[in-house]
Amino acid sequence: MRNLAFVFLLFIVSGNAQKKQIGIYKADNGVTYRLKDEIQLNVGSDTNGAFNYVTTPMAQDDSKSGGRHLANRVFKIIGIEKYNGKRRTGVKFVARKGLLLVHIDIINAIRTCEVTPCTQTTSPSPVVINESDKYDKLKKLKDLYDDGVLNKDEYEAEKQKVLASEK
């Protein structure tokens, strides 16, 4: 029994030795993040707009795990963890907005512009929106509004951006 307790204690200690809680992190994008700072999400880097490096750990279905519903939201950092494992090393942020909790693989999220500011140095080329693209974007915005992803103010602001882009 004593040996079993020792093995259990050794397992806990060795597991925790690979993770270290830190209160401050200087990221590649030049930002120094601290506990209680706010972090701005951008859009997901997957082809369908889903997040690859921002996840909701308690999501009931996989489509919401890193879903597009997280786009352009601001979260408060409540934990910063440096980890060093056999397969992966990096820094994970735990952040929340209200009851919504997210985990952010901050190094990759910055690299892929899932958070802002990001480190992509190439500026996107100007996009010319033709009439059908404009209406497609407006329809997508309306669908997001109807689904509750965007609130009324967000919907109106995004709609004005699309309408202004034609000028």
Side-chain angles (χ1 to χ4, degrees):
M1 185 65 160
R2 204 175 216 185
N3 288 341
L4 182 62
F6 177 76
V7 170
F8 181 73
L9 181 61
L10 184 61
F11 176 76
I12 290 174
V13 170
S14 67
N16 288 338
Q18 295 181 4
K19 296 178 184 178
K20 181 180 179 189
Q21 291 290 327
I22 56 177
I24 189 169
Y25 177 68
K26 172 92 166 139
D28 292 340
N29 62 357
V31 177
T32 300
Y33 294 98
R34 294 175 175 80
L35 293 175
K36 298 184 181 176
D37 281 354
E38 290 185 339
I39 187 164
Q40 170 78 46
L41 297 186
N42 193 14
V43 294
S45 61
D46 201 346
T47 55
N48 66 0
F51 287 86
N52 291 311
Y53 303 105
V54 179
T55 58
T56 52
M58 303 296 280
Q60 293 295 327
D61 88 49
D62 289 339
S63 67
K64 296 273 190 196
S65 179
R68 296 181 311 196
H69 68 287
L70 301 173
N72 300 311
R73 294 193 182 213
V74 177
F75 288 82
K76 185 177 280 195
I77 300 169
I78 60 172
I80 304 173
E81 183 178 273
K82 210 172 203 177
Y83 57 92
N84 188 7
K86 291 180 181 177
R87 296 186 323 194
R88 292 182 56 173
T89 61
V91 177
K92 177 177 79 174
F93 287 8
V94 178
R96 75 178 315 145
K97 178 176 183 147
L99 297 176
L100 183 59
L101 189 68
V102 294
H103 289 181
I104 305 169
D105 174 350
I106 192 64
I107 295 169
N108 287 312
I110 290 169
R111 183 181 53 78
T112 59
C113 285
E114 289 190 354
V115 298
T116 59
C118 61
T119 57
Q120 288 184 353
T121 54
T122 58
S123 59
S125 57
V127 176
V128 177
I129 299 178
N130 66 33
E131 288 296 307
S132 64
D133 287 345
K134 178 176 78 169
Y135 293 121
D136 287 342
K137 286 189 178 202
L138 289 170
K139 179 163 179 13
K140 287 178 184 175
L141 284 172
K142 180 68 169 132
D143 290 343
L144 289 171
Y145 174 68
D146 291 342
D147 291 343
V149 175
L150 297 175
N151 66 34
K152 185 170 178 68
D153 294 335
E154 292 168 331
Y155 168 70
E156 291 297 328
E158 292 299 318
K159 183 172 84 172
Q160 291 306 317
K161 287 180 192 176
V162 172
L163 294 172
S165 67
E166 73 173 280
K167 297 176 184 175

